[in-house]
Amino acid sequence: MRLERNIQAPVFQLTDIYGRSIGLNDYRDKKVLIGFFRHAGCPFCNIRVHALSKARAELREQGLEMIFFFESTQRVLLNSIFHKETSPVPIISDPQKEWYAAYGLEPSVRKSVYSHLTAFVQTAYQAATLGAPMHAMASGESFSTMPAEFLLGEGLVVREVHYSETLNDRIGLEKIKAFAKEETVPQSF
């Protein structure tokens, strides 16, 4: 079931791929971007990780933290130098997609195929230009996984929900920056 705005986000206490304990309750007084990505070799997702990582210092200065989920195993993610470079951002491996389900992500072969047919070549070229990895899926990873992003306000209230319609469809970076700059976040239910 998809999440909606103005509800409390599902709370987790997990260990990221670096062995750090990541509890969403620890972010209760902050703004948070939670990004759910496909696999470690997905150029669509890795371009997004690159863009968010470049904006991390500015966003953090404004009080916004980030947490990334990948369907890849911890081993696959740790073997990726690209993902090691995002180490200040917690990266959580969820190959069973338990938290993908808790946040309402739904797979779609149709949307994934459409994205690959219409944007894969351009995306792969852009990923290569940025040095973002692109490789075949590992065992257990899914072609049909669709990304999603959530902006949480103080109190872990969901302020923005974005379930991707295509593999390049994400919350606009300017919208994330504007959300991060907000002085107060209304607490209405």
Side-chain angles (χ1 to χ4, degrees), residues 41-47 50 115-116 118-135 168:
C42 174
F44 297 96
C45 294
N46 290 331
I47 287 171
H50 181 270
S115 295
H116 279 85
T118 60
F120 183 78
V121 172
Q122 303 92 314
T123 302
Y125 177 77
Q126 184 180 6
T129 302
L130 295 172
M134 181 179 64
H135 54 78
N168 280 328

Side-chain angles (χ1 to χ4, degrees), residues 28 32 44 87 121 136 143 145 148 152 175-176:
R28 184 166 288 285
V32 183
F44 297 96
S87 65
V121 172
F143 180 79
T145 299
L152 310 183
K175 187 172 192 173
I176 294 169

Side-chain angles (χ1 to χ4, degrees), residues 171-183:
I171 298 173
L173 194 52
E174 292 307 314
K175 187 172 192 173
I176 294 169
K177 288 179 180 181
F179 175 78
K181 289 178 184 175
E182 290 177 5
E183 290 296 321

Side-chain angles (χ1 to χ4, degrees), residues 39-56:
H39 57 89
C42 174
F44 297 96
C45 294
N46 290 331
I47 287 171
R48 180 58 166 182
V49 167
H50 181 270
L52 290 172
S53 295
K54 282 184 69 172
R56 179 183 177 273

Side-chain angles (χ1 to χ4, degrees), residues 63-147:
L64 182 111
E65 298 289 338
M66 296 186 284
I67 301 171
F68 298 160
F69 281 80
F70 276 85
E71 68 178 350
S72 299
T73 64
Q74 179 181 9
R75 181 187 57 77
V76 168
L77 287 162
L78 286 174
N79 283 335
S80 170
I81 290 174
F82 177 79
H83 294 95
K84 284 182 183 178
E85 291 174 1
T86 66
S87 65
V89 177
I91 297 176
I92 298 171
S93 168
D94 186 13
Q96 284 75 40
K97 297 188 191 130
E98 293 173 33
W99 290 97
Y100 286 66
Y103 275 75
L105 276 75
E106 299 167 346
S108 176
V109 171
R110 181 184 58 78
K111 291 176 184 177
S112 182
V113 166
Y114 175 80
S115 295
H116 279 85
L117 289 175
T118 60
F120 183 78
V121 172
Q122 303 92 314
T123 302
Y125 177 77
Q126 184 180 6
T129 302
L130 295 172
M134 181 179 64
H135 54 78
M137 293 182 292
S139 176
E141 296 172 343
S142 173
F143 180 79
S144 63
T145 299
M146 293 301 294

Side-chain angles (χ1 to χ4, degrees), residues 3-4 6-11 25 28 152 155-158 189:
L3 296 188
E4 296 180 9
N6 298 320
I7 64 166
Q8 184 165 353
V11 177
N25 273 324
R28 184 166 288 285
L152 310 183
L156 306 179
V157 175
V158 178
F189 286 92

